[in-house]
Amino acid sequence: MKFFYRGCLLFTLISSNVYADSCNIEIEVGDNMNFVPAALTVSAAACKTVTINLTHTGSLPRNAMGHNWVLSATEDAQGAAQEGWSAGLENQYLKPADIRVIANTKIIGGGESDSVSFNLSDLKVGGDYTFFCSFVGHFAMMKGTFTIAE
Ligand code: ZN
């Protein structure tokens, strides 16, 4: 008599997106000059990449009240924003190939949305980063801190 032993394999699906919420950030803008939320913190341990999903909930078109989301080192933010104004809407109000810009979405108007993903491992934990809108004249109002925690 022969005994057959059957192995039983349990396949366990382990989600690779346990921390998905903190790496995938929703930001709203509208017909005024505000980011909601106005400050962001991400975890370097949890997120290799961060995705920003920018949504314009207002109704004004992008040439009147357009917004984008741009990330740079804080010391670079004002220069990148102001020098971007002359680059025009077709360049998202950013100087083409500006190395001060770490990541940016397109300029969007009411009812539109855009996303950008970037690699967090290229940035410093505890570094001083600012996100802002580079639409002409928005920098003074539309900026916030981007904090990278461990
Ligand atoms: Zn704006």
Side-chain angles (χ1 to χ4, degrees):
M1 202 168 177
K2 246 177 164 182
F3 293 93
F4 293 93
Y5 295 93
R6 270 193 197 164
C8 180
L9 291 176
L10 282 175
F11 292 95
T12 305
L13 290 176
I14 299 172
S15 170
S16 59
N17 295 317
V18 173
Y19 297 101
D21 288 342
S22 62
C23 307
N24 206 352
I25 298 169
E26 306 291 330
I27 300 180
E28 287 190 358
V29 291
D31 289 339
N32 52 15
M33 289 185 268
N34 283 321
F35 284 112
V36 180
L40 299 174
T41 299
V42 297
S43 162
C47 306
K48 278 186 185 155
T49 60
V50 169
T51 300
I52 301 291
N53 301 305
L54 184 71
T55 302
H56 193 312
T57 59
S59 56
L60 294 172
R62 82 175 74 102
N63 60 1
M65 188 50 85
H67 304 295
N68 60 0
W69 187 94
V70 184
L71 180 66
S72 74
T74 296
E75 61 183 4
D76 291 337
Q78 186 161 7
Q82 292 184 349
E83 288 168 42
W85 295 351
S86 59
L89 185 55
E90 67 273 23
N91 290 308
Q92 317 308 322
Y93 290 112
L94 290 170
K95 213 170 91 176
D98 190 335
I99 59 165
R100 294 170 294 190
V101 173
I102 295 164
N104 71 280
T105 69
K106 294 184 297 190
I107 295 270
I108 58 172
E112 297 175 327
S113 59
D114 192 35
S115 297
V116 63
S117 296
F118 53 96
N119 199 337
L120 209 54
S121 59
D122 295 341
L123 306 179
K124 282 190 211 113
V125 171
D128 191 3
Y129 300 100
T130 289
F131 65 88
F132 59 93
C133 172
S134 69
F135 193 93
V136 176
H138 288 198
F139 180 78
M141 295 283 293
M142 292 187 78
K143 56 179 186 274
T145 56
F146 185 84
T147 303
I148 304 171
E150 295 218 18

